[in-house]
Amino acid sequence: MLKIIGTVLVIFACVALGYGKSAGISARLFLLREIEKMLLLLMGEITYRKETLPEAMLRVSGKVQEPLHGFLRETAKMAQKYQGERFAGIFRENAEKYLKNSDLTQKDFEEFVQLGEYLGYLDADMQKNTSQWYLQQLKTEIEALAGEIPAKKKLYQSLGILSGIFLAILLL
C-alpha cells in the first residue's frame, strides 16, 4: 500500500514540475510584454508630457502590474530622495529586489538592467533612441518566444508526465 501511495506521489510531483515549468514560460512572456508596455508609457511621459524620469515612473507605475508596479514606485521614490546618487545604481538595486527571482532569464534581466544605465544618464533624445533600440530587441524576443511557447509548453508537460511514469516504474 505504501509503495502505491509513494508511486502516485512521485508521478504527481513530476507532473507538477512539468506544468510549473510550462507556466513559467507563459509568465516570462507576460512579464516581457509588461516591460514593453512600461517602456512605451515611460517614453510617452518623457517625450510628450516632458516629465522628469522619477515623475514619469510614478505615473506609469499605476498602469503596469506587479512586479513592475513595485519596481517603478520604489525606483522613482529613491531617485527623488537621493538626488546625488547615480540612477543606474538605484535602477539595478531595485531590479534585483523586484525582478531577480521572477521568470525572466538571466539574459532578459541583464538587458533590462543595462537599460537603466542609459535612462537616467543621457538627454531626452538619447534616452528615446536607447529605449527604441531596447524595444526593438524586446519585440524580437517576444515574437520568438510567442512562436515557440505552444511547443515548449507541450514538451514540458509531456516530460513531466513521462518522467513521473519512468520514476514510478523504477521504484516498483
Side-chain angles (χ1 to χ4, degrees):
M1 183 66 178
L2 278 176
K3 265 188 170 181
I4 294 173
I5 292 172
T7 303
V8 169
L9 288 175
V10 166
I11 291 173
F12 280 133
C14 289
V15 169
L17 283 173
Y19 276 83
K21 186 72 173 166
S22 170
I25 289 179
S26 297
R28 177 178 174 228
L29 180 62
F30 172 78
L31 195 51
L32 288 175
R33 286 183 173 151
E34 278 294 296
I35 290 172
E36 178 184 32
K37 176 180 160 184
M38 175 198 78
L39 199 53
L40 287 169
L41 290 169
L42 268 178
M43 288 301 99
E45 293 288 328
I46 291 170
T47 304
Y48 301 111
R49 294 182 58 104
K50 304 294 184 199
E51 298 274 0
T52 63
L53 188 57
E55 291 170 349
M57 288 178 129
L58 273 176
R59 188 179 292 274
V60 169
S61 71
K63 299 174 183 170
V64 293
Q65 295 184 12
E66 287 295 341
L68 293 176
H69 172 76
F71 165 76
L72 286 174
R73 264 192 123 52
E74 185 79 20
T75 304
K77 287 179 182 177
M78 287 178 72
Q80 288 172 339
K81 187 176 178 183
Y82 303 112
Q83 293 294 330
E85 194 171 332
R86 259 187 90 208
F87 180 77
I90 295 170
F91 194 91
R92 177 177 280 282
E93 178 184 328
N94 285 315
E96 287 179 358
K97 180 178 176 183
Y98 287 94
L99 300 172
K100 188 72 172 176
N101 295 324
S102 68
D103 291 301
L104 293 177
T105 63
Q106 185 65 30
K107 178 183 169 240
D108 295 336
F109 178 77
E110 288 302 323
E111 288 175 354
F112 182 73
V113 169
Q114 189 176 14
L115 173 69
E117 294 283 330
Y118 302 109
L119 271 182
Y121 173 65
L122 307 168
D123 64 351
D125 288 334
M126 288 301 287
Q127 286 181 15
K128 185 178 177 184
N129 291 340
T130 302
S131 297
Q132 287 175 342
W133 176 76
Y134 178 73
L135 272 172
Q136 191 59 42
Q137 282 186 317
L138 194 59
K139 284 181 183 184
T140 304
E141 185 70 26
I142 288 171
E143 287 172 6
L145 186 60
E148 61 189 30
I149 267 190
K152 278 193 172 184
K153 285 182 79 164
K154 190 164 187 96
L155 174 72
Y156 289 140
Q157 292 167 358
S158 299
L159 281 175
I161 293 167
L162 291 175
S163 63
I165 292 170
F166 177 74
L167 283 174
I169 291 171
L170 281 179
L171 291 174
L172 291 177

